[in-house]
Amino acid sequence: GIGGTSNAFFLRQLLGDKAEIKVFEREEVGGRLREMNIGGKSYDSGGSIIHSENFYAKALTEKVGLTVKNSEKSGAGFYDGKKFVLKLTGASFKDKFKVLGRYGFGLTGLVAEGEAMLRRLKRIYCLQNKQVSFKSTTELLNATSPDFLKKVKMTIKDSLKKLGVSELIQNELVAATLHTNYNQDLSVNAFVGFVSLAGGLVGNLWSIKEGNFRLPQKLVQEIGVEVVKSKVKSILPSDKGYTLTYSSSSDAEDFETEDFDAVVLATPLHNADIDLPDGVDVAGSTKPFQRTVATFVNGVLAPLVPGEKNPGDILTVTSKDKLLFSSIGLKGEAAQDFNFKVFTKKPMTDEQINKLFSKVNEVKVVDWMAYPKYSVPDTLPDFELAPGLYYINAIESAASAIEMSCIGSKNVALLLYQYLENVKNVIIVPCAGLKICPNIKRSFNIEPGPCSIRFQISSILNSITYQCYFYDTSAFIFDPKVYSLGCFFQACLDYGL
């Protein structure tokens, strides 16, 4: 998937052509990013949207020559099983008045928290740019922002209550995004809850014009790694590092072995069925996954509310009624009628499909375990299972998304690079008690890339230009080698300097 292929890409960057990298895949390269053809059109059946602030996804997309396509704003309706409690047209000015009329100014705190979370998340890019790595998900979250660890330990419902967000907003807007993005409810942890909310609160959404599923395929082609179509049976210690046992044929007893210096697991362990070395702690790595069924239908959707026209996208809110679906998305016109994608927790019967649609021309179904079932409290697994053995999908325990997989894969690439090259990890020690004069006048010159934001700080005495690296809001780090002032940007935003 995107985790394994982006990891191979990052490893090639770090290790160069001297490294022999092999990708073992039992099906097709892409993982949960797949293509669906229906009604003469092609769509993403897995992760279909990416946030405008997702640096790795965008950089990799452009690197391999694919095209960024901004998502078009369309109408959306919030459905409670009987009626639409809110309908949005896609026209931002009108929609703002509709939202204001129903929820008042209650969204203010929610939007502010969403913006703050996205700012804090950007710190990981600059930490990784300085080759800082983390052996566990806990360490990575804490270094990016201690607030993230707090969010993982509480439900989104409790977090929103603490922010003073009304139950109406929670049960409608927040629940709707969770139903659509994770097929889960307000009991998920607050970190994944805000990841789910990000697209609706702050920034814009985009996808790859050629299809998101093309990205993993193109990454493999870009770096020229060998893809071995096979089922891996075991990864066990050897004198060199690890012996990988796998089968490339349909004969379950026809096994081959190969030795490697290091191995990266880039598949969820809950159903991998791979024998690992004795003593490897996989606590939290085998948690159950949420079953999600994507039913693609070419046809005509019947009116959900008699006498009312259906909006383009239909999201479900918290309801006492038992709802058949989690969301319905209008994918677009087809050669005949329209194409829709329906998310449910279990497969729909023919009777249910025919009840939902007044006309059905074609039906295709993707049934998979899409993302972890998020609960509180929860266990956050490690990236390093043993020296030379790493697990990218550990990061999914915090939140599952294309960008989160890329962040996890970059972290594992750094760990592996430091292991093979015997490079010491960069340790950043916060400076205590450093304060900044609140009377500073500042001007911002934004250059491409999250690590190239420069600040010209003018005071009575001098004018200094620093390279900014994001880090903890409470700590400022000055590195004379790169002339960096840690988190000045974040401080300006958080404290209004």
Side-chain angles (χ1 to χ4, degrees):
I2 187 62
T5 53
S6 62
N7 178 255
F9 178 88
F10 292 136
L11 283 172
R12 180 66 78 209
Q13 283 187 319
L14 290 164
L15 297 171
D17 293 334
K18 65 181 179 180
E20 180 185 353
I21 303 172
K22 285 190 178 183
V23 175
F24 290 81
E25 171 59 58
R26 62 182 174 185
E27 297 178 5
E28 300 297 327
V29 171
R32 281 167 276 172
L33 297 183
R34 297 186 188 180
E35 179 183 18
M36 171 58 71
N37 292 292
I38 188 168
K41 302 278 187 174
S42 173
Y43 304 100
D44 284 300
S45 64
S48 58
I49 56 171
I50 307 169
H51 196 273
S52 56
E53 299 293 327
N54 290 169
F55 171 68
Y56 285 141
K58 191 170 184 179
L60 291 171
T61 296
E62 294 173 347
K63 176 67 177 176
V64 299
L66 294 172
T67 311
V68 171
K69 176 187 175 184
N70 291 325
S71 297
E72 298 178 1
K73 293 185 177 180
S74 60
F78 295 78
Y79 182 66
D80 68 359
K82 294 180 180 177
K83 64 183 183 301
F84 288 103
V85 298
L86 177 68
K87 278 188 177 182
L88 302 177
T89 63
S92 59
F93 187 74
K94 290 182 179 179
D95 287 347
K96 285 179 181 178
F97 275 99
K98 286 185 176 181
V99 171
L100 185 63
R102 184 163 182 83
Y103 305 111
F105 292 98
L107 283 174
T108 307
L110 192 59
V111 172
E113 184 65 17
E115 290 175 338
M117 182 168 174
L118 281 174
R119 291 198 305 270
R120 293 166 190 149
L121 188 60
K122 288 180 182 178
R123 300 173 199 161
I124 192 61
Y125 299 128
C126 290
L127 287 171
Q128 292 184 333
N129 185 63
K130 295 192 72 170
Q131 297 191 354
V132 182
S133 64
F134 307 95
K135 293 186 177 182
S136 70
T137 309
T138 299
E139 291 174 359
L140 185 147
L141 291 176
N142 189 56
T144 307
S145 172
D147 179 67
F148 289 174
L149 262 188
K150 295 176 184 177
K151 280 183 164 55
V152 169
K153 296 176 181 178
M154 66 192 314
T155 66
I156 185 64
K157 188 174 183 67
D158 289 340
S159 178
L160 295 176
K161 184 178 179 181
K162 191 175 179 180
L163 285 172
V165 177
S166 70
E167 286 197 11
L168 184 66
I169 293 174
Q170 292 181 41
N171 291 328
E172 293 186 359
L173 297 184
V174 180
T177 65
L178 286 167
H179 295 168
T180 302
N181 294 327
Y182 291 100
N183 222 352
Q184 294 174 62
D185 56 29
L186 295 168
S187 64
V188 304
N189 74 62
F191 183 79
V192 76
F194 276 101
V195 168
S196 177
L197 280 167
L201 291 176
V202 186
N204 301 303
L205 300 175
W206 60 277
S207 61
I208 297 174
K209 183 179 179 181
E210 297 84 353
N212 293 353
F213 62 90
R214 297 287 183 204
L215 182 55
Q217 299 169 3
K218 286 283 190 178
L219 285 170
V220 168
Q221 296 171 13
E222 176 76 17
I223 56 177
V225 300
E226 180 183 354
V227 178
V228 182
K229 192 167 185 178
S230 60
K231 168 70 173 71
V232 174
K233 181 181 184 294
S234 65
I235 303 166
L236 299 174
S238 68
D239 292 338
K240 184 178 180 182
Y242 291 93
T243 298
L244 194 143
T245 303
Y246 61 97
S247 175
S248 300
S249 70
S250 56
D251 185 353
E253 300 302 320
D254 184 14
F255 292 111
E256 301 175 58
T257 61
E258 189 168 353
D259 288 332
F260 293 92
D261 297 293
V263 175
V264 175
L265 282 160
T267 184
L269 285 176
H270 77 282
N271 66 347
D273 191 26
I274 298 174
D275 294 332
L276 299 175
D278 292 338
V280 168
D281 183 10
V282 293
S285 302
T286 55
K287 66 170 62 180
F289 265 47
Q290 174 64 52
R291 184 183 188 183
T292 295
V293 182
T295 303
F296 289 80
V297 180
N298 173 247
V300 177
L301 184 67
L304 292 181
V305 179
E308 287 190 28
K309 183 180 178 181
N310 290 324
D313 292 322
I314 300 168
L315 295 77
T316 57
V317 302
T318 301
S319 174
K320 294 179 181 178
D321 296 320
K322 188 175 182 180
L323 299 175
L324 172 61
F325 57 88
S326 299
S327 66
I328 301 176
L330 173 63
K331 304 306 295 181
E333 292 188 40
Q336 183 180 5
D337 299 320
F338 299 90
N339 289 329
F340 297 87
K341 180 165 72 171
V342 184
F343 272 144
T344 57
K345 291 186 177 181
K346 60 183 181 181
M348 290 194 294
T349 64
D350 291 342
E351 182 182 356
Q352 289 171 330
I353 293 174
N354 289 322
K355 182 179 179 181
L356 202 55
F357 290 84
S358 58
K359 183 181 179 182
V360 177
N361 304 314
E362 185 181 7
V363 177
K364 290 189 176 181
V365 178
V366 179
D367 184 355
W368 51 15
M369 309 305 282
Y371 7 69
K373 283 187 176 180
Y374 294 101
S375 58
V376 177
D378 210 346
T379 303
L380 297 176
D382 293 339
F383 291 105
E384 185 178 80
L385 300 178
L389 180 61
Y390 305 99
Y391 181 48
I392 292 174
N393 295 71
I395 202 163
E396 278 196 289
S397 294
S400 179
I402 291 173
E403 188 71 1
M404 293 299 290
S405 291
C406 291
I407 289 171
S409 76
K410 181 61 180 282
N411 181 64
V412 165
L414 290 169
L415 284 169
L416 196 153
Y417 164 70
Q418 290 158 359
Y419 169 75
L420 292 179
E421 299 293 323
N422 197 26
V423 175
K424 289 185 177 180
N425 188 16
V426 179
I427 300 175
I428 297 180
V429 181
C431 300
L434 180 60
K435 295 183 179 180
I436 297 177
C437 173
N439 297 319
I440 290 174
K441 296 179 181 179
R442 74 274 185 200
S443 62
F444 301 80
N445 178 26
I446 309 298
E447 299 174 359
C451 295
S452 61
I453 301 173
R454 293 182 178 274
F455 300 85
Q456 294 177 349
I457 308 159
S458 301
S459 67
I460 298 173
L461 299 177
N462 55 21
S463 179
I464 310 167
T465 298
Y466 292 105
Q467 179 82 23
C468 173
Y469 283 88
F470 299 94
Y471 200 56
D472 186 9
T473 52
S474 62
F476 301 90
I477 309 93
F478 180 71
D479 184 345
K481 292 181 181 178
V482 294
Y483 306 103
S484 67
L485 181 63
C487 201
F488 191 84
F489 181 45
Q490 184 67 43
C492 288
L493 291 172
D494 281 0
Y495 302 118
L497 302 182

